[in-house]
Amino acid sequence: MHKQLQTQVAIIGAGPSGLLLGQLLAKAGIDNIVIERQSKDYVLSRIRAGVLEQGTVNLLNQAGVGDRLHREGLVHHGFDIAFHHQHLRLDLEKLTSGKHVTVYGQTEVTKDLSEARQALDLPSFYEASEVKVLDLLTDAPNVQFIHEQQAYSIKADFIAGCDGYHGVCRASIPKESIQEFERVYPFGWLGILSDTPPVQEELIYGNHPDGFYLCSMRSPTRSRYYLQCTVDEDIAKWSDNRFWDTLQARLPSSIAGNLVRGPSIEKSIAPLRSFVAEPLRYGQMFLAGDAGHIVPPTGAKGLNLAASDIYYLSNAFIEYYVDHQQSSIDQYSEKALQRIWKAERFSWWLTNMLHHFPEKSRFDQRIQQAEFDYLCHSELAQKSLAENYVGLPY
Ligand code: APR
Ligand code: PHB
């Protein structure tokens, strides 16, 4: 027998998208239940990017989870691009008339949201299995799942599919009702986290003839570094020493001497993919965040795009329940996709400029070099990069 529950919005997935949506809806007095496949500890241990646009910070403030972010987040007014032996600093503050980004890990964002949800005692089911979304084309969609051996059935007005790239929501849409656009890159990123001071105060995105590298951080005492690797790279072959030696060899000589080595506390490989699903709606179910789109991590747009989706979707639900207006719900997919495609373009462009593409011809390599030279000598090109990096408006 199913235990029957009822809510206004059933949210599938307790990643940043689902938790942020739940928080914003709760603040507006809209009931919601979160259903998550994994345990809370598992969700809170995932390491992902860590650069927040101002729009994301504003939304986290609005959701009531801005305090720790303001205390511990690092405000960055610029970042570096190193290309072979050349070096360019993008002065975000100057190029965007005063904007900046905040370095604060996605893991911390998810933790803050999860604690805020718990403090409000909002209903959540972690470790839910056999999650199914049903009756999507009716006005009473249904979520069924098993939790602690009990079968549940939740009737909702709407379902928010915030269950990431491998989730059940997008997979439940009939093929003829959804289009998918995808580019898979012929490389991945090998990342390590270490309790060592960052090699410099600002991020460095680097293109070295042997491949891309990124120097990032989580705090003044915790670094996050990445190296371009092959898609089928064997992580077991990457000792900490090999990682540090390879990174040191790729860094500009003026900076390499500052690299502080230490044991890795996390090491993982992520594939690079661009992906968009259209539309982001099927009947009463809406897709948001990684469930609807993926960007390669170059430029750190993943979490920021999830936040802008949730901005549009939460406002649409609030308009529906508070102002009894349907129009924003109907416009959600189109509005969100306009911003998504621009971030897709930016992430694809930055990925192309900064990586070593094994199949690229000598002509392509010269074009890549010209792209960087143009950036170095054109303030307009730098402004365009900076405008996208700090986040397009929404
Ligand atoms: N049922 C319930 N939950 C599910 C299911 C399912 N069938 N499938 C997946 N999930 C959960 C996952 O376990 C995960 O916790 O949905 C959650 C989705 O979270 P994320 O993958 O973090 O996606 P999202 O919340 O949209 O966050 C986007 O994550 O990958 C990064 O770059 C991305 O920063 C961006 C952010
Ligand atoms: C990170 O700190 O993990 C990070 C930063 C910037 C990126 C991607 C990842 O573009």
Side-chain angles (χ1 to χ4, degrees):
M1 264 299 278
H2 281 100
K3 196 166 171 179
Q4 305 283 337
L5 299 175
Q6 184 125 26
T7 191
Q8 289 175 305
V9 182
I11 301 174
I12 317 295
S17 301
L19 292 176
L20 180 57
L21 178 63
Q23 215 53 27
L24 292 166
L25 294 184
K27 288 241 153 202
I30 299 167
D31 283 349
N32 61 85
I33 299 179
V34 166
I35 302 109
E36 163 64 48
R37 178 166 63 181
Q38 303 285 358
S39 71
K40 192 186 272 193
D41 284 350
Y42 179 91
V43 172
L44 295 180
S45 66
R46 286 190 294 226
I47 312 278
R48 285 174 174 166
V51 178
L52 308 184
E53 299 170 354
Q54 193 55 42
T56 305
V57 172
N58 295 345
L59 206 57
L60 291 167
N61 281 333
Q62 199 186 316
V65 293
D67 287 356
R68 194 160 70 98
L69 163 59
H70 283 284
R71 279 198 314 275
E72 297 177 16
L74 307 172
V75 172
H76 280 208
H77 299 289
F79 68 93
D80 286 359
I81 297 185
F83 195 99
H84 300 192
H85 298 296
Q86 295 160 276
H87 201 165
L88 171 69
R89 177 174 186 261
L90 277 298
D91 184 337
L92 294 174
E93 188 95 337
K94 190 177 109 215
L95 293 164
T96 64
S97 311
K99 299 207 172 104
H100 59 256
V101 291
T102 304
V103 172
Y104 188 71
Q106 180 176 319
T107 313
E108 307 311 313
V109 171
T110 314
K111 184 160 174 241
D112 295 344
L113 285 164
S114 163
E115 284 174 4
R117 186 167 183 90
Q118 197 166 348
L120 293 180
D121 210 15
L122 300 172
S124 315
F125 292 89
Y126 282 87
E127 296 182 76
S129 60
E130 296 177 43
V131 180
K132 293 189 189 81
V133 288
L134 304 163
D135 307 329
L136 300 172
L137 296 179
T138 73
D139 57 10
N142 186 232
V143 182
Q144 293 185 356
F145 60 94
I146 297 176
H147 182 255
E148 294 178 351
Q149 280 129 49
Q150 170 69 55
Y152 285 84
S153 166
I154 304 183
K155 282 233 175 312
D157 298 333
F158 300 104
I159 294 176
C162 301
D163 51 349
Y165 183 67
H166 299 288
V168 67
C169 292
R170 194 183 69 252
S172 303
I173 301 176
K175 286 276 161 280
E176 62 279 11
S177 299
I178 192 161
Q179 288 194 73
E180 298 187 343
F181 303 85
E182 182 172 53
R183 164 158 305 203
V184 177
Y185 299 87
F187 41 71
W189 282 15
L190 168 64
I192 68 164
L193 196 63
S194 81
D195 278 327
T196 50
V199 67
Q200 66 165 37
E201 268 181 35
E202 293 182 343
L203 271 64
I204 310 170
Y205 290 85
N207 180 334
H208 182 276
D210 292 341
F212 171 81
Y213 60 92
L214 169 59
C215 305
S216 181
M217 68 203 66
R218 291 291 174 272
S219 76
T221 55
R222 180 168 286 188
S223 302
R224 179 74 168 155
Y225 295 109
Y226 298 94
L227 291 173
Q228 178 177 342
C229 63
T230 59
V231 263
D232 54 0
E233 195 78 44
D234 179 2
I235 199 163
K237 295 201 171 128
W238 282 88
S239 66
D240 289 356
N241 272 338
R242 181 176 173 205
F243 188 97
W244 293 118
D245 288 345
T246 311
L247 177 64
Q248 190 139 23
R250 290 189 193 177
L251 284 171
S253 48
S254 58
I255 293 167
N258 301 338
L259 185 66
V260 181
R261 298 169 177 231
S264 63
I265 50 176
E266 194 262 0
K267 195 184 281 161
S268 55
I269 292 180
L272 266 70
R273 180 193 303 276
S274 297
F275 171 85
V276 182
E278 290 186 0
L280 297 170
R281 175 181 191 174
Y282 181 68
Q284 295 295 87
M285 180 173 77
F286 297 84
L287 303 179
D290 278 16
H293 45 81
I294 296 287
V295 285
T298 335
K301 289 296 165 218
L303 174 60
N304 293 300
L305 261 194
S308 57
D309 286 358
I310 296 305
Y311 170 84
Y312 295 123
L313 191 57
S314 60
N315 283 339
F317 286 142
I318 292 167
E319 270 184 49
Y320 177 85
Y321 286 111
V322 179
D323 306 327
H324 308 289
Q325 298 263 350
Q326 172 88 26
S327 58
S328 292
I329 294 234
D330 292 336
Q331 288 160 11
Y332 163 72
S333 175
E334 201 184 317
K335 263 196 176 169
L337 281 166
Q338 280 176 9
R339 191 169 191 279
I340 290 161
W341 274 113
K342 291 185 195 112
E344 290 283 346
R345 185 208 66 82
F346 175 66
S347 309
W348 161 86
W349 172 78
L350 202 56
T351 302
N352 275 309
M353 185 172 68
L354 294 177
H355 288 75
H356 173 71
F357 285 73
E359 80 284 8
K360 272 201 168 159
S361 66
R362 291 166 66 241
F363 178 86
D364 295 329
Q365 287 167 18
R366 282 287 191 271
I367 292 289
Q368 197 184 49
Q369 173 81 54
E371 187 83 57
F372 182 72
D373 286 346
Y374 174 54
L375 189 64
C376 288
H377 297 108
S378 162
E379 199 189 1
L380 282 180
Q382 290 179 23
K383 280 191 166 170
S384 166
L385 197 171
E387 179 187 37
N388 281 277
Y389 195 81
V390 300
L392 296 175
Y394 52 93

